Amino acid sequence: MVEGIIDRIRKEVRLDPLVIATGGLARTIAAETQKIHVIDENLTLEGLRIIYERNLPDPVKPRSAEHTPLRDGQ
C-alpha cells in the first residue's frame, strides 16, 4: 500500500521525492520497502513542539509546572 501511494505521488509530481517514514511503526514499514529513504520516528512530534514554542507568549512565564514547555526530549 505504501509503495502504491509513493508511486502515484511520483507519477503526479513527475519527480523523485525524498520519502520519510515517521511515527512509531516507521521502522517496521521501511524494512519492507526500498522506496523509503529516511526514518524519523519523532518528526511529527518535533514539528508540533516547534509550533507550540513559536506560539508561546514572550517572555515565557509558565503558570505552573504542568504548563512548563518540554525542551530537548524532557
Side-chain angles (χ1 to χ4, degrees):
M1 184 171 71
V2 171
E3 289 179 346
I5 292 169
I6 293 169
D7 289 340
R8 286 192 293 275
I9 291 171
R10 283 185 174 143
K11 184 178 177 182
E12 181 72 25
V13 299
R14 297 186 184 120
L15 296 171
D16 191 22
L18 177 69
V19 179
I20 303 171
T22 67
L25 295 175
R27 290 193 187 281
T28 303
I29 293 169
E32 300 298 322
T33 181
Q34 296 294 314
K35 296 189 180 204
I36 294 175
H37 303 108
V38 177
I39 300 168
D40 188 338
E41 295 162 333
N42 295 314
L43 182 65
T44 303
L45 293 174
E46 182 66 17
L48 290 171
R49 182 190 61 79
I50 291 168
I51 291 168
Y52 168 76
E53 288 179 353
R54 288 184 180 179
N55 285 286
L56 287 175
D58 281 329
V60 177
K61 293 182 180 178
R63 291 179 280 168
S64 68
E66 61 200 23
H67 292 101
T68 303
L70 298 176
R71 303 208 190 271
D72 299 325
Q74 293 180 345

